[in-house]
Amino acid sequence: MTNLVGATTDEGRRLEAIVEPHSDSRIRLTAADLLDTEPEVAFDRITRLAARIIGVPVSLVSILDTDRQFFKSQVGLPDIWAERRETPLSHSFCQYVVASGEPLVVDDARSHPLVRGNLAIDDLGVEAYLGVPIRTPDGAVIGSLCAIDHAPRHWTSEDRRAIEDLVSMLGTELVLREEVRFRREAEEQAQLLAREMAHRVKNSLATVQAIVSLSLRSRQPAEAIRPVLLERLGSLAKTQSLVMVADWRGASFAAIVASEIEHYDVGTRIRTAGPEVWIAPGDAVTIGMILHELATNAAKYGALAPGREGTIDIDWQEATSEGEGRRLCLTWREDGRPGTSAAPESDDTEPSGFGSELLDKLIVRQLAGRIDRDWSDRGLVFTADFAISEPMSA
């Protein structure tokens, strides 16, 4: 006699409760995680209990692959099959359990229309078979726990309940296994994040050190240096905030520009144009400082200075150069600086002293870039071409 336990029976409803999918979205366990793995005590204990409780010579935990079944655990198989720990699908009853997602109960394999031609009958001595689906924590059927007898047998409801209870125990083991893996990966991710944070903090401190060092070399008194220094450190902090909002993956170039010019006449005196370019965290802080320096100089000495009606156009393009990787081309064009647009006479005073030195350090040294400054009667055209890192994946 053959019986497929369905969801409409009391036992079917009991089985559904036993194998109810786990709701944790972190679960990723699949059949591939168990295929070709070494024997394990937890699985061997299940098969031994199945054989002892039901009183059968053979019990298997079978995991189905595309063209074979793999025995994660076995009790009572002939030595040749026990050593191989697998059979082709021509010797598999488990494939029907996986296909239907329901228990398979076969009292006499030789008279059963579904399996009577299966080679496991003669080669493995499978005359009676009782198999229950094994599900991953998210509900996918990957194999079966089965009891096998070498003679026809009528399986009782108690036999089925025993197998179902053991499958429930096995399901708990799979959930625990996935939780252990999740925690291990979380620890590894935390360690990676800690190393990355240490690297970023080191880079940020190096930038702060450079800003402070260059500021102190200025000939201005401390009272004049202090507000400028605080502004530059504030710019660094703003860019760091943009990076944090994006889970430390970086920031868009447009967002960095917007952050540095938000206090000026954006849309009337300042126009921006450029494609979406994602900037990696390490470059974002440096680029924020570059844009802050350009905006500050424009507000103090250039197109945005008090009493002037100048405008600024900010354009950028991303390019890829062979052997150089990703590069960003930035053009900062100021129009309308009558009387002050000529190139500074001295490199020791603002904006050409500290400003030029800081921009050179940030663009040329840190970003392996090139700078061109063109002063004319109309204003300043500042162009820079520099390397940017590959963006981090989400």
Side-chain angles (χ1 to χ4, degrees):
M1 185 179 101
T2 302
N3 181 29
L4 294 178
V5 181
T8 59
T9 68
D10 290 341
E11 291 184 357
R13 285 189 290 272
R14 178 173 177 272
L15 179 61
E16 286 181 346
I18 289 173
V19 296
E20 181 179 359
H22 200 280
S23 61
D24 195 333
S25 61
R26 303 171 305 183
I27 299 299
R28 305 190 309 275
L29 184 72
T30 66
D33 294 301
L34 297 176
L35 290 169
D36 302 316
T37 54
E38 295 296 321
E40 297 180 54
V41 172
F43 291 89
D44 291 344
R45 184 180 295 117
I46 294 293
T47 52
R48 288 198 302 268
L49 283 172
R52 186 181 309 135
I53 293 171
I54 301 176
V56 291
V58 180
S59 177
L60 307 172
V61 171
S62 301
I63 307 300
L64 201 69
D65 201 358
T66 54
D67 58 354
R68 60 176 177 142
Q69 64 177 350
F70 171 74
F71 301 133
K72 176 61 181 174
S73 179
Q74 64 82 29
V75 169
L77 279 180
D79 290 344
I80 183 174
W81 298 109
E83 291 175 2
R84 291 180 182 177
R85 300 185 66 205
E86 65 175 50
T87 73
L89 295 184
S90 59
H91 293 66
S92 172
F93 283 26
C94 172
Q95 61 182 309
Y96 304 112
V97 178
V98 173
S100 67
E102 298 180 348
L104 175 62
V105 185
V106 179
D107 292 348
D108 186 349
R110 295 185 184 276
S111 63
H112 184 277
L114 187 63
V115 299
R116 62 189 177 192
N118 196 290
L119 299 182
I121 298 174
D122 291 329
D123 292 349
L124 278 74
V126 182
E127 296 286 348
Y129 177 93
L130 170 60
V132 172
I134 295 174
R135 299 176 185 269
T136 61
D138 64 353
V141 180
I142 59 172
S144 69
L145 171 63
C146 68
I148 295 172
D149 211 329
H150 295 321
R153 170 174 177 158
H154 172 65
W155 302 102
T156 68
S157 59
E158 289 300 318
D159 294 335
R160 293 197 293 272
R161 288 195 185 95
I163 291 289
E164 290 166 3
D165 288 341
L166 291 171
V167 166
S168 179
M169 294 170 58
L170 192 55
T172 300
E173 169 65 25
L174 295 179
V175 170
L176 291 175
R177 172 187 297 259
E178 189 69 358
E179 182 65 24
V180 168
R181 180 168 71 174
F182 171 79
R183 293 190 179 187
R184 183 172 60 249
E185 291 177 352
E187 290 174 358
E188 292 173 353
Q189 183 66 24
Q191 293 175 357
L192 179 62
L193 180 59
R195 290 195 296 269
E196 179 65 19
M197 286 297 295
H199 176 69
R200 291 174 185 169
V201 168
K202 181 180 178 181
N203 287 343
S204 296
L205 290 176
T207 302
V208 171
Q209 184 180 26
I211 294 171
V212 173
S213 176
L214 290 172
S215 297
L216 294 178
R217 287 165 53 184
S218 170
R219 294 181 180 179
Q220 295 183 359
E223 292 77 9
I225 294 175
R226 183 176 183 275
V228 175
L229 179 59
L230 291 177
E231 286 180 8
R232 283 162 180 151
L233 295 179
S235 169
L236 187 150
K238 283 197 302 183
T239 308
Q240 289 280 27
S241 296
L242 287 176
V243 173
M244 288 176 62
V245 169
D247 295 328
W248 295 101
R249 292 185 295 109
S252 72
F253 185 81
I256 301 174
V257 172
S259 176
E260 295 300 338
I261 65 175
E262 61 181 347
H263 299 301
Y264 305 103
D265 295 333
V266 180
T268 56
R269 299 180 64 185
I270 302 178
R271 295 181 293 268
T272 63
E276 180 71 14
V277 179
W278 194 257
I279 305 298
D283 294 338
V285 172
T286 302
I287 290 173
M289 290 298 303
I290 292 169
L291 293 167
H292 173 79
E293 195 62 34
L294 290 169
T296 298
N297 287 341
K300 290 183 177 180
Y301 312 101
L304 303 181
R308 296 191 173 91
E309 299 297 329
T311 61
I312 298 178
D313 289 286
I314 308 171
D315 301 283
W316 64 89
Q317 292 291 331
E318 181 181 358
T320 302
S321 302
E322 186 175 353
E324 292 186 321
R326 297 175 74 215
R327 297 189 70 83
L328 189 73
C329 301
L330 168 67
T331 301
W332 179 286
R333 183 178 292 104
E334 299 186 27
D335 189 7
R337 299 172 62 189
T340 64
S341 59
E345 297 178 359
S346 169
D347 197 42
D348 295 328
T349 59
E350 292 283 11
S352 61
F354 176 80
S356 294
E357 191 171 356
L358 179 59
L359 289 172
D360 286 341
K361 179 177 178 59
L362 296 174
I363 296 175
V364 178
R365 302 178 197 174
Q366 289 192 214
L367 298 179
R370 297 176 287 269
I371 295 176
D372 181 68
R373 299 175 177 88
D374 181 16
W375 281 274
S376 68
D377 291 341
R378 296 185 60 84
L380 167 69
V381 178
F382 177 93
T383 57
D385 169 36
F386 49 85
I388 53 176
S389 304
E390 290 295 327
M392 297 179 64
S393 59

